[in-house]
């Protein structure tokens, strides 16, 4: 049985561990798996995740109130204050689902103090609480945390795109998203032209574009403006309906899959332009 089959078999049987660690591969891949597990944990169907129940749709859009993602602070520290915030939230029962999922997104190391603050919650969690620690390696964690968690390894560690590549991809994704809100269909064609010369830029920009659309869905649902992405998420939220945003996010994920499966590159770029030209 593969890792994925093992994970989803335990989810569907109701035996998924209350504390788990996802290590290896790149941070984006680890976090993607954690999000998928969280979606399955809040899913109301027997076939988890069904992808069609209200819980699954909110989880996919990043707006489910019972899935909380905790990240390092601006200095790159998963501090004791963050750990205390998690412990405080544990006592609050789920808002909508039967489960409440805490994803701890760690790209460096979590301090021993922070881990010890969380330890009692990992040992004796409420029935509804699930913890998913996303980190480069279990070696960065205390033995007491590891012994209380199931470990899922995605294999050898990989690097996410380097900083310069990420900034270029972020800029391209934001420009593409803003062009989609234009009244001129040629704006999106102009912005997409940069991808024709750089396949890696297109591959790196698509996941960010998907994030921007998800943030736009959050803005649409809550009315709270997005602080990041240079206003692109707010622009999309102001232009499109929630249904249209969901369609676009799904389509962008399909384009990303097309890149990974080596489909015709020029056709994928054409598909991107076609999707966003229909900006109504």
């Amino acid at each position: 049985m593969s890792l994925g089959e093992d994970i989803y078999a335990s989810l569907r049987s109701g035996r998924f561990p209350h504390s788990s660690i996802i290590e290896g591969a790149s941070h984006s891949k680890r976090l993607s798996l954690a999000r998928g597990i969280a979606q399955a944990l809040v899913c109301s169907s027997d076939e988890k995740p069904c992808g069609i129940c209200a819980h699954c749709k909110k989880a996919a859009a990043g707006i489910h109130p019972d899935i909380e993602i905790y990240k390092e602070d601006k200095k790159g520290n998963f501090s004791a204050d963050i750990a205390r915030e998690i412990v405080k939230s544990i006592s609050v029962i789920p808002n909508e689902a039967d489960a409440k999922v805490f994803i701890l997104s760690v790209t460096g190391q979590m301090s021993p103090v922070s881990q010890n603050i969380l330890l009692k919650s990992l040992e004796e969690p409420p029935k509804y609480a699930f913890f998913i620690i996303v980190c480069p390696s279990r070696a960065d964690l205390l033995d007491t945390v590891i012994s209380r968690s199931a470990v899922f390894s995605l294999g050898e560690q990989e690097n996410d795109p380097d900083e310069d590549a990420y900034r270029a991809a972020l800029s391209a994704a934001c420009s593409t998203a803003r062009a989609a809100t234009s009244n001129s269909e040629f704006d999106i064609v102009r912005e997409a032209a940069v991808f024709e010369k750089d396949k890696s830029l297109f591959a790196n920009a698509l996941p960010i574009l998907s994030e921007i659309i998800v943030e736009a869905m959050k803005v649409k649902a809550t009315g709270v403006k997005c602080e990041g992405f240079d206003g692109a998420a707010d622009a999309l939220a102001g232009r499109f309906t929630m249904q249209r945003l969901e369609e676009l996010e799904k389509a962008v994920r399909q384009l990303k899959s097309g890149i990974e499966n080596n489909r015709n590159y020029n056709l994928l770029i054409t598909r991107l332009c076609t999707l966003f030209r229909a900006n109504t």
Side-chain angles (χ1 to χ4, degrees):
M1 183 179 288
S2 68
L3 174 63
E5 290 172 333
D6 184 37
I7 289 173
Y8 286 106
S10 64
L11 285 165
R12 287 168 179 163
S13 66
R15 297 195 305 269
F16 194 79
H18 282 268
S19 178
S20 59
I21 297 166
I22 300 177
E23 65 169 5
S26 65
H27 182 69
S28 57
K29 290 181 180 178
R30 295 191 294 268
L31 192 56
S32 178
L33 176 59
R35 290 178 185 273
I37 291 172
Q39 179 175 331
L41 287 169
V42 299
C43 176
S44 58
S45 172
D46 292 334
E47 293 295 321
K48 304 177 183 295
C50 70
I52 58 175
C53 71
H55 293 302
C56 277
K57 288 182 177 180
K58 287 185 179 181
I63 57 174
H64 199 293
D66 297 320
I67 298 175
E68 300 183 5
I69 300 179
Y70 291 86
K71 300 180 180 180
E72 295 146 324
D73 60 26
K74 293 181 179 179
K75 295 181 179 180
N77 300 319
F78 203 98
S79 67
D81 286 341
I82 297 174
R84 293 188 188 98
E85 186 180 341
I86 294 170
V87 171
K88 183 178 180 180
S89 182
I90 292 168
S91 62
V92 180
I93 64 173
N95 287 277
E96 298 178 5
D98 293 330
K100 189 171 184 177
V101 187
F102 300 86
I103 298 176
L104 283 58
S105 175
V106 184
T107 57
Q109 292 187 342
M110 189 189 304
S111 73
V113 173
S114 299
Q115 294 182 61
N116 280 319
I117 290 172
L118 293 168
L119 193 57
K120 182 173 177 57
S121 298
L122 298 178
E123 285 181 319
E124 301 174 1
K127 185 178 180 180
Y128 54 75
F130 293 85
F131 303 89
I132 306 174
I133 302 173
V134 177
C135 64
S137 171
R138 74 186 85 178
D140 298 328
L141 302 172
L142 298 175
D143 289 341
T144 47
V145 172
I146 298 171
S147 66
R148 288 159 177 77
S149 309
V151 179
F152 302 115
S153 180
L154 298 181
E156 197 170 327
Q157 289 186 43
E158 303 170 3
N159 293 322
D160 285 298
D162 63 47
E163 192 63 28
D164 288 340
Y166 177 79
R167 281 198 295 267
L170 175 62
S171 176
C174 289
S175 296
T176 300
R178 284 194 298 271
T181 66
S182 169
N183 290 321
S184 172
E185 66 178 41
F186 297 107
D187 287 343
I188 185 63
V189 176
R190 184 187 64 249
E191 295 300 335
V194 68
F195 298 130
E196 295 178 2
K197 301 176 182 179
D198 193 338
K199 185 174 182 178
S200 62
L201 178 64
F202 191 43
N204 292 338
L206 285 175
I208 300 173
L209 184 55
S210 181
E211 288 183 46
I212 294 172
I213 299 171
V214 168
E215 286 300 316
M217 292 162 70
K218 291 181 184 178
V219 174
K220 198 79 176 177
T222 65
V224 179
K225 289 188 175 182
C226 174
E227 295 183 0
F229 300 118
D230 197 22
D234 294 326
L236 287 175
R239 177 70 178 183
F240 298 124
T241 64
M242 181 66 83
Q243 180 180 352
R244 179 65 173 139
L245 288 170
E246 290 175 354
E247 291 171 352
L248 288 174
E249 198 279 327
K250 180 179 179 181
V252 170
R253 280 190 283 114
Q254 290 172 342
L255 288 173
K256 180 176 178 292
S257 176
I259 285 281
E260 293 169 350
N261 290 306
N262 295 312
R263 292 179 184 160
N264 186 287
Y265 184 57
N266 290 329
L267 286 179
L268 291 174
I269 294 177
T270 300
R271 175 61 178 156
L272 175 72
C273 294
T274 302
L275 280 169
F276 284 100
R277 272 208 305 256
N279 56 1
T280 58

